[in-house]
Amino acid sequence: MQKFLMFVVCTLCCSLWSQLAQATELTNLRSSISPARVRLVVDSDGPMSYKVKDAGGKLELQLDAKLRDAKVLNLKDHYVQKAELVSRGGESLLRISKNADCQYKVYALENPQRLVVDVFRINLIKESQELEPGVVHTYLQDEINGQQIQAHVIAISPEAKVELRPFSAAGAYNGRGLLTKMTSRYGIRIAINASYFDGSGWVIGVNKDRGQLMSVDSSPRSAYIDNGQQRTLVQDVAYQGILYLPQGQTLAIKGMNRERIAEDVVLYNEYYASSTKTNQWGMEIKLQGDRVIDISNQGNMSIEPGTRVISAHGNANKALLSQLRVGDRVKLRESLGSTLAEQAKILIGGGPLLLENGKVNVRTREEQIAPDIAWGRAPRTAIGMKKDGTVLLLVVDGRSNLSKGLTLEELATYFLRLGARDALNLDGGGSSIMVIDGKAVNHPSDGHERPVSIGVGVFAKH
């Protein structure tokens, strides 16, 4: 019995000694100062718990960890004068002399283990307003990677009786226009800019409204879709159109609702204009359903509701169309490379994808995103999706002292902060704008609103 008791005592002593030997030890105190914050980092060799006491100008953190040598940082910054890490019994104390008005955030990180204290040199602001049931606008003055940003978020709950739809910022037809004017004209209360475009209004992206294609692109890019039961993001949406002629030949469609260039074949529908606006150096056929109802080599063929026009330039392309006669039947087969995209009634093309299933996955290379979009900080417009189906419309200002903008990686990270699981980038830079009740609520980096080609509006669901 005595031997057994001695064994138990020895075992308990060894266990206690092992726990003491394994107690977390603080290894360093370091700092960094950036325009938006002062960051203090306490490095450790293991996890630890902490308690925070804020006494105005003195912030104290009680750390459940050992410290061998005291650490002192004399920062002499207006917001943080001094930080010291001292031992107190078996624990440690981090004292921070800060401006009493400063906001701060304390959090632990792993790999490696460390405790972070951010003391902000800016005012963090979050102001929210419900615009209609289930639709909330939030203004944010925030910080990311030491830089100040200003952002606007529209959160649309799954229960909200609204839907996102793309629309032409030029009005009824293709081109460019101001979202403030178009939203006021058509009674669209909330809108942001959407797909990329060039100076002529040539849309670079696939967009579909109520099942009808508005614009197409052959480059595989990500897109937001709504098929009536599900709102989600899909990858690698790319248009392919082929016209099958009665004689067995085929003609590849190279674009839709845009300028026709040399050796080109473009498909036009009523979303473009009342006519094709082409010159006489091509050949055009008009379709109603699968039947040819008109043929012309004069250019600028009219487009009536419910009709489509195929306009071809180049001898080989024109030779194929010249075989057709009014009354002939043809087959136009179109693919978007995704069954979900093809079945969706609403599709908003952008790119690159930013988040996928809660993980950062910025697909700039896979989606062939131009360097001026892929790299550097800029104003950004994007769509995010939460796990519960909430849709987030985000516009972040940039290129100013008040808001530096975001890189695409920072944009993805910021969406995680907002609670998104998936996210998609849209056109940014000087085009980034959010309009509420006919007014821009953000500050476009051009100093004024830029005409854009496609907008995304929040429409009442019918």
Side-chain angles (χ1 to χ4, degrees), residues 10 16 29 48 83 93 141-142 151 161 168 172 200-201 203-204 218 285 290 300 327 368 395-396 400 445:
C10 289
L16 179 61
L29 172 63
M48 59 180 157
L93 191 67
Q141 182 166 282
D142 211 341
K161 303 301 182 182
S168 170
S200 68
V203 180
I204 305 168
S218 60
I285 64 168
D290 61 358
N300 200 29
Q368 302 173 24
V395 171
V396 180
S400 77
S445 61

Side-chain angles (χ1 to χ4, degrees), residues 35-343:
R37 60 164 163 73
V38 177
R39 171 165 288 180
L40 299 165
V41 180
V42 180
D43 295 311
S44 63
D45 61 6
M48 59 180 157
S49 59
Y50 60 90
K51 296 179 181 178
V52 181
K53 179 181 178 182
D54 186 3
K58 182 73 71 174
L59 182 64
E60 294 186 347
L61 279 77
Q62 181 180 333
L63 310 177
D64 183 22
K66 300 186 299 180
L67 176 68
R68 292 187 180 182
D69 302 311
K71 314 285 184 183
V72 179
L73 298 176
N74 290 302
L75 302 178
K76 298 180 181 179
D77 180 76
H78 172 72
Y79 297 90
V80 178
Q81 291 286 313
K82 182 180 179 181
E84 54 183 341
L85 188 60
V86 297
S87 179
R88 190 174 69 174
E91 298 180 328
S92 302
L93 191 67
L94 175 62
R95 298 192 185 100
I96 303 171
S97 300
K98 70 176 181 69
N99 185 313
D101 295 330
C102 287
Q103 297 166 287
Y104 65 90
K105 181 180 180 182
V106 181
Y107 52 99
L109 295 174
E110 299 179 347
N111 300 318
Q113 295 282 349
R114 59 207 187 276
L115 185 71
V116 180
V117 182
D118 285 335
V119 180
F120 297 104
R121 308 174 86 228
I122 63 171
N123 289 325
L124 301 183
I125 301 172
K126 183 178 181 180
E127 299 172 342
S128 297
Q129 177 188 10
E130 187 173 57
L131 301 178
E132 51 189 271
V135 181
V136 176
H137 168 236
T138 301
Y139 164 71
L140 294 157
Q141 182 166 282
D142 211 341
E143 171 274 336
I144 187 166
N145 289 338
Q147 301 294 329
Q148 177 175 309
I149 61 168
Q150 293 180 334
H152 293 265
V153 183
I154 298 292
I156 304 171
S157 74
E159 295 77 26
K161 303 301 182 182
V162 299
E163 62 183 355
L164 297 182
R165 283 174 44 201
F167 64 93
S168 170
Y173 302 139
N174 173 276
R176 295 193 301 157
L178 301 178
L179 286 190
T180 51
K181 290 186 177 180
M182 287 305 105
T183 54
S184 296
R185 179 182 298 177
Y186 294 105
I188 305 170
R189 190 176 183 193
I190 306 164
I192 59 172
N193 64 295
S195 299
Y196 304 104
F197 60 93
D198 71 3
S200 68
W202 181 329
V203 180
I204 305 168
V206 181
N207 288 280
K208 190 193 294 187
D209 179 31
R210 291 167 291 187
Q212 179 79 4
L213 283 166
M214 300 170 63
S215 63
V216 300
D217 190 0
S218 60
S219 298
R221 300 270 171 86
S222 297
Y224 164 92
I225 67 165
D226 181 347
N227 61 15
Q229 285 81 39
Q230 180 187 25
R231 298 169 176 172
T232 188
L233 303 182
V234 295
Q235 298 177 20
D236 300 326
V237 176
Y239 176 83
Q240 183 182 47
I242 300 177
L243 182 70
Y244 290 84
L245 304 175
Q247 295 81 2
Q249 300 101 325
T250 60
L251 188 64
I253 306 298
K254 299 182 180 179
M256 173 182 280
N257 291 345
R258 60 162 173 79
E259 179 185 2
R260 189 195 69 202
I261 58 177
E263 303 295 326
D264 205 1
V265 181
V266 180
L267 174 65
Y268 295 96
N269 62 23
E270 59 195 270
Y271 276 95
Y272 181 68
S274 58
S275 65
T276 61
K277 299 186 283 190
T278 53
N279 59 34
Q280 71 274 27
W281 307 116
M283 187 168 188
E284 298 179 334
I285 64 168
K286 185 183 298 186
L287 303 177
Q288 191 161 42
D290 61 358
R291 185 180 294 275
V292 178
I293 63 172
D294 197 7
I295 300 173
S296 173
N297 58 8
Q298 301 300 309
N300 200 29
M301 180 175 272
S302 63
I303 309 170
E304 291 78 27
T307 67
R308 294 180 290 182
V309 173
I310 295 176
S311 181
H313 180 272
N315 292 334
N317 296 327
K318 290 163 58 178
L320 288 174
L321 289 187
S322 67
Q323 303 175 33
L324 294 172
R325 299 292 181 267
V326 172
D328 284 350
R329 292 188 179 276
V330 296
K331 290 183 180 180
L332 178 60
R333 294 185 178 175
E334 298 174 292
S335 168
L336 296 179
S338 161
T339 301
L340 281 175
E342 289 162 6
Q343 294 175 347

